[in-house]
Amino acid sequence: MGTEKKYKLITLVGVVNFPQMPISCDIRREASKKSIYNAFSDGEDVIFVTQTKDNLSKEIENSINHVGCLSHLLHVGERGNVLQVEAEGIKRMHITYVFKDNEDCLYCHASPVNQSSFDEQTVMPLLNSAKEF
């Protein structure tokens, strides 16, 4: 696998996270809330990825972009049944494999994206998926 590592994966609807970009987002999916709480308490970074469809299908790889952003969690707070998260992007990551644990939390294997490899085929799907929501 080389430079690939295992990360907690959080899917976002209508939001794209980029390196050095702070974001605020609301998390509603219970498994994602659990992943974020665990990552925040353990000081771990997570990968945020934009969903390409309204709902995650069983074939998760068909419902997300394959380029996400490794992000550092700055603040996590609950408001009602919504988890409010503030984070800052660190670097772009290429997601090669997505899987769930026994509690339905998402994980992925990912490796850093070579910044010079950004071309229109990589960037346009990210921008278009954010516009769709």
Side-chain angles (χ1 to χ4, degrees):
M1 271 196 249
T3 60
E4 284 189 2
K5 291 184 180 179
K6 177 182 168 183
Y7 298 95
K8 289 177 174 70
L9 181 70
I10 309 299
T11 62
L12 301 174
V13 177
V15 177
V16 178
N17 187 209
F18 292 101
Q20 288 78 49
M21 178 181 128
I23 65 165
S24 295
C25 55
D26 294 340
I27 306 297
R28 291 177 173 80
R29 193 171 159 266
E30 289 302 320
S32 294
K33 289 181 191 180
K34 187 177 291 188
S35 289
I36 288 176
Y37 274 130
N38 290 343
F40 189 67
S41 66
D42 294 342
E44 295 177 340
D45 296 325
V46 300
I47 292 182
F48 286 117
V49 65
T50 304
Q51 284 182 216
T52 57
K53 299 190 167 119
D54 288 336
N55 297 308
L56 291 176
S57 67
K58 287 191 182 259
E59 299 295 322
I60 297 166
E61 286 90 353
N62 296 331
S63 302
I64 63 169
N65 281 308
H66 293 269
V67 176
C69 189
L70 181 65
S71 299
H72 180 69
L73 300 171
L74 302 172
H75 177 75
V76 173
E78 202 157 344
R79 183 177 219 176
N81 64 347
V82 175
L83 187 63
Q84 296 179 320
V85 176
E86 293 177 16
E88 184 170 7
I90 299 170
K91 61 183 165 185
R92 304 302 290 160
M93 300 293 285
H94 181 260
I95 297 158
T96 56
Y97 179 67
V98 178
F99 56 99
K100 291 183 179 183
D101 69 3
N102 57 356
E103 296 178 357
D104 263 356
C105 294
L106 293 177
Y107 289 87
C108 69
H109 288 144
S111 59
V113 171
N114 178 353
Q115 295 297 325
S116 64
S117 71
F118 279 139
D119 57 14
E120 193 169 322
Q121 287 184 322
T122 304
V123 174
M124 290 312 292
L126 288 171
L127 296 175
N128 289 335
S129 67
K131 291 178 190 176
E132 290 175 11
F133 291 97

